[in-house]
Amino acid sequence: MPASSRRTLSKPLSSAGCGLAAAKITPDAKSALIVVDVQNGFVTGGCLPVKGGEEVVPVINQLAAGFQNIVVTQDWHTPGHVSFASSHQGKKPFETTQLSYGTQVLWPDHCVQGTEDASLHKDLHLPTAQLIIRKGFHKEIDSYSAFDEADHKTSTGLAGYLKARGIETLYVTGLATDFCVAWTAMDGCKAGFEVYVIEDATRAIDMNGSLAAAWKQMIAKGVKRIQSGDLA
Ligand code: VGL
Ligand code: ZN
């Protein structure tokens, strides 16, 4: 049999009519959309603005229609939180300090519990979201990850919740790609979930090459990098 006719025995052409089109990913009942920290504090006008942060809102709103399970997170700090530069004498925002659990980047005061800065972006429209998980509420421990706080000991309870609900696959979106999104995605892998980060549904802080470093670490830990257009 000539090679040209044998080819028809393998994969059928996609219904899009183009043989090169990749198959779309369809989230199912065991999938959850994780929407990380889409709060006023991380968009234009916030206390710790991420460039273009608000641009993720329409992308996430549209993605949400395809998910049966949605979890939202909020950075939720005490006044005088250990991650604030203002809590450390002589320190300025974006400098680092050594804490008992390791190196901590020091931030402007942001997302203080109950403030407008900590509220979710007003245009985020996720009426079917089932859980809001707040993190970073222990005064002496930061938490970029929605799973484990920065001491790598204290759990937020999110893995237990997702497992109890039979969730196996996570699609992570939100702010910021190189901090809370990356740590959430990597800890999700560590906790045994299959994890995708939807790149165009995130924006980064990107200080001192942190975005490139975060992608390198995420890929090394098994996180899959996709675009919103890859989902059905
Ligand atoms: C975040 C820095 C400090 C984030 C939170 O949501 O990525 N970054 N707190
Ligand atoms: Zn924070």
Side-chain angles (χ1 to χ4, degrees):
M1 187 173 18
S4 58
S5 54
R6 216 180 293 132
R7 211 180 299 140
T8 59
L9 295 173
S10 60
K11 262 201 285 186
L13 297 178
S14 91
S15 57
C18 168
L20 296 174
K24 298 254 181 186
I25 302 164
T26 311
D28 61 13
K30 294 179 174 180
S31 307
L33 180 68
I34 312 288
V35 181
V36 176
D37 297 5
V38 183
Q39 294 166 268
N40 294 329
F42 299 117
V43 302
T44 305
C47 291
L48 177 41
V50 178
K51 195 163 179 285
E54 56 282 349
E55 292 165 12
V56 303
V57 172
V59 183
I60 291 170
N61 287 346
Q62 200 178 352
L63 283 166
F67 283 86
Q68 298 168 46
N69 304 297
I70 303 177
V71 172
V72 174
T73 78
Q74 275 179 299
D75 213 33
W76 199 251
H77 297 312
T78 60
H81 192 258
V82 72
S83 73
F84 297 169
S86 62
S87 304
H88 303 265
Q89 217 172 14
K91 288 288 189 181
K92 290 199 271 305
F94 309 104
E95 292 179 352
T96 59
T97 195
Q98 296 307 315
L99 297 179
S100 58
Y101 56 74
T103 304
Q104 171 73 50
V105 180
L106 297 172
W107 304 103
D109 291 26
H110 65 279
C111 295
V112 172
Q113 298 168 359
T115 64
E116 197 49 32
D117 198 61
S119 295
L120 295 172
H121 190 285
K122 67 171 178 24
D123 297 329
L124 194 64
H125 186 65
L126 303 172
T128 62
Q130 295 125 350
L131 176 73
I132 297 178
I133 187 134
R134 290 170 167 172
K135 61 184 179 60
F137 54 75
H138 288 123
K139 194 173 181 187
E140 303 302 332
I141 318 173
D142 202 4
S143 191
Y144 296 148
S145 165
F147 291 98
D148 296 308
E149 300 191 18
D151 63 354
H152 299 293
K153 288 199 259 293
T154 310
S155 169
T156 66
L158 180 58
Y161 167 87
L162 293 169
K163 284 180 184 172
R165 293 206 46 230
I167 305 293
E168 295 175 356
T169 309
L170 310 179
Y171 295 85
V172 186
T173 62
L175 307 170
T177 326
D178 40 350
F179 289 92
C180 292
V181 167
W183 287 49
T184 296
M186 292 191 287
D187 278 355
C189 278
K190 200 161 83 182
F193 299 97
E194 182 178 21
V195 181
Y196 295 86
V197 169
I198 307 176
E199 185 174 18
D200 59 323
T202 73
R203 290 292 183 280
I205 294 173
D206 200 15
M207 47 186 279
N208 310 317
S210 57
L211 179 59
W215 276 118
K216 209 171 157 189
Q217 285 172 28
M218 284 193 277
I219 300 298
K221 297 229 155 109
V223 174
K224 299 184 185 92
R225 179 180 190 165
I226 60 169
Q227 309 301 318
S228 58
D230 295 334
L231 275 81

